[in-house]
Amino acid sequence: QVQLVESGGGLVQTGGSLMLSCTASFPLEHYNIGWFRQAPGKEREGISSLRNRDGHTYYASSLEGRFKISRDNAKNTAYLRMTDLNVEDTAVYFCAAGDGNAFAASYLLTPQAYDFWGQGSQVTVSS
């Protein structure tokens, strides 16, 4: 199977931190990776990307430096570190992988840039 399997979501208090993981069944080193989130009734929102060709990271400006994307190619795993969480961060979080090269960083925050998706992981931040 070609899969991305997510873990690390759950319930956290306001101000807390979580680390989401996304493990691929294929060599992730050849892929761009992205993290997205979707709240009920809202469009899927691109929050961070990591471009394969140069390692460039990109973040939605609204995150105010609280999230950080990374990867460990030896483990075929991508990560999203989230800190200082607040209620507005409550959503289902998705990882994604795409094999295109030379994409603009802004494009990698759109769902169309990706071929494979994780199953989604619920993050709930309590008030």
Side-chain angles (χ1 to χ4, degrees):
Q1 292 180 312
V2 175
Q3 286 187 314
L4 295 171
V5 179
E6 298 180 39
S7 63
L11 177 65
V12 65
Q13 295 180 2
T14 296
S17 300
L18 283 174
M19 177 77 81
L20 301 181
S21 298
C22 176
T23 299
S25 64
F26 49 89
L28 198 59
E29 64 181 319
H30 302 300
Y31 290 84
N32 306 306
I33 59 175
W35 285 96
F36 296 77
R37 67 185 182 185
Q38 189 166 21
K42 307 282 283 187
E43 293 288 325
R44 188 165 297 187
E45 175 191 14
I47 56 177
S48 186
S49 67
L50 199 167
R51 191 163 59 200
N52 177 63
R53 66 177 174 85
D54 59 0
H56 178 74
T57 58
Y58 191 70
Y59 299 90
S61 60
S62 61
L63 297 179
E64 301 175 355
R66 296 183 296 112
F67 291 8
K68 186 174 182 179
I69 190 171
S70 63
R71 67 182 180 188
D72 185 337
N73 288 334
K75 297 180 179 179
N76 292 323
T77 299
Y79 303 94
L80 183 70
R81 187 179 69 196
M82 306 184 293
T83 60
D84 195 25
L85 289 164
N86 56 60
V87 173
E88 289 71 37
D89 295 315
T90 295
V92 178
Y93 284 71
F94 299 88
C95 64
D99 62 1
N101 271 327
F103 286 130
S106 58
Y107 182 69
L108 292 178
L109 287 189
T110 70
Q112 291 73 24
Y114 298 95
D115 304 302
F116 309 110
W117 290 85
Q119 81 278 12
S121 184
Q122 178 70 48
V123 172
T124 302
V125 184
S126 62
S127 60

